[in-house]
Amino acid sequence: MRLGELITQDAEAALAALAWQLDCGVDEVVGDTALDRYALPEAVREAAPRPDAPRGQTVAEPARRAAQALANAPPPLAQGPDPVAVATEAAGRAATLSALQEALAAFDLCDLKRGARNTVFADGNPAARVLILGEAPGREEDLEGRPFVGRAGQLLDRMFAAIGLSRHSPDAEAALYITNVMPWRPPGNRDPEPAEIGMMRPFVERHIALVDPKVIVVMGNTPLFTLTGTRGIVRARGAWTQALGRPLLPMTHPAYLLRNPIAKREAWADLLALKARLTEKE
Ligand code: URA
């Protein structure tokens, strides 16, 4: 039940409910929609329960003042811009990879950006036939500003070296281009949320269009979901599909392979399938 409904129902019951919440340690009243707290009237800030209030003092009084101040508070802020629409517009305007990198660095509607040190854009050769799409930077990537440079990245480099591909190759035939769905490190390396993925998708799609690879390799569930709308990488791996009009090969993430070395055998089969695809006649 919302606070406003409680108040209108029965003032006594509302005050008792507020008093109970204060007893439970609630020290903030949060509504369904965002409030600009800098714009709140003095009365609201004043109404906050004081930590130094005498223990016996009735909690009903601060509760009553808080309820009153909230009732007088300015209306909630209007909804902000739609992040997906802003991302679509910004990505669509980028005619080159460096313009896209700038557009991404200027995109301020994803909260993950605030906790990240770097916007991790990409690494490798943009002329490569193979584009690898990962999930999100981890600690090392965030510090260095390049994708896949930690332990999982080193394994990725060894895996692709085994079929003659490298991010360092100047030769397009032997090169890799590596990027992630999310350019900012999520706190605690958690998975990016669907809303965060949704606002990155326009950038990812534009990124792929600008690199124009022959094949896309998605590593892990997040890029699989971003490009196909499905999850379940362990089942999906190794089965070629299509995304954005290109062949797409799902593979398990190298971090998963570090935790489950037994799965390297399947990853090797996937690498061989990729090699075979690349040697097919156009
Ligand atoms: N995992 C990813 O998916 N991407 C990185 O850049 C690093 C680890």
Side-chain angles (χ1 to χ4, degrees):
M1 184 177 287
R2 293 237 207 100
L3 180 60
E5 289 164 6
L6 277 172
I7 292 167
T8 51
Q9 249 189 23
D10 177 345
E12 284 299 307
L15 286 174
L18 279 169
W20 177 76
Q21 290 180 32
L22 288 168
D23 278 346
C24 293
V26 172
D27 58 2
E28 187 82 34
V29 184
V30 179
D32 289 341
T33 23
L35 278 178
D36 181 353
R37 294 192 170 269
Y38 293 105
L40 287 178
E42 196 60 25
V44 175
R45 289 193 291 269
E46 281 301 301
R50 312 226 173 264
D52 55 352
R55 182 93 189 100
Q57 180 182 313
T58 167
V59 289
E61 180 51 22
R64 192 194 62 72
R65 283 192 287 124
Q68 185 57 50
L70 202 69
N72 297 337
L77 290 178
Q79 292 284 332
D82 172 6
V84 177
V86 174
T88 304
E89 224 265 309
R93 262 189 283 114
T96 62
L97 285 172
S98 53
L100 186 70
Q101 185 166 7
E102 278 172 28
L104 200 51
F107 183 76
D108 279 335
L109 299 177
C110 181
D111 284 345
L112 294 182
K113 186 179 181 185
R114 267 166 235 153
R117 289 180 192 231
N118 273 302
T119 298
V120 177
F121 185 66
D123 197 14
N125 183 344
R129 293 181 299 167
V130 179
L131 180 144
I132 296 178
L133 185 63
E135 300 187 336
R139 185 172 172 278
E140 283 85 356
E141 289 79 14
D142 182 39
L143 288 172
E144 211 173 295
R146 284 195 306 132
F148 282 105
V149 292
R151 272 186 76 216
Q154 289 158 22
L155 176 58
L156 180 146
D157 284 340
R158 289 198 300 277
M159 287 163 63
F160 284 88
I163 55 163
L165 300 179
S166 162
R167 67 172 100 189
H168 304 296
S169 176
D171 171 11
E173 299 277 297
L176 289 175
Y177 185 83
I178 305 175
T179 186
N180 283 314
V181 170
M182 180 53 67
W184 301 293
R185 183 192 181 194
N189 293 344
R190 69 160 169 77
D191 289 341
E193 289 167 3
E196 294 161 348
I197 294 173
M199 62 182 89
M200 287 302 115
R201 190 179 288 117
F203 290 107
V204 172
E205 289 183 2
R206 189 76 188 130
H207 206 153
I208 292 170
L210 289 169
V211 174
D212 192 19
K214 180 176 156 97
V215 300
I216 304 168
V217 176
V218 289
M219 303 204 90
N221 262 320
T222 297
L224 177 69
F225 175 72
T226 306
L227 294 190
T228 68
T230 62
R231 294 187 189 271
I233 190 70
V234 173
R235 246 177 307 115
R237 60 136 285 276
W240 285 94
T241 181
Q242 286 272 323
L244 309 175
R246 298 160 202 276
L248 178 143
L249 178 65
M251 286 184 66
T252 48
H253 194 282
Y256 173 83
L257 298 176
L258 288 171
R259 292 192 304 271
N260 301 279
I262 192 92
K264 285 183 183 169
R265 196 171 40 184
E266 292 161 349
W268 177 238
D270 300 344
L271 288 168
L272 292 179
L274 174 63
K275 189 177 177 190
R277 186 85 182 217
L278 293 173
T279 45
E280 272 171 15
K281 290 237 156 45
E282 300 280 320

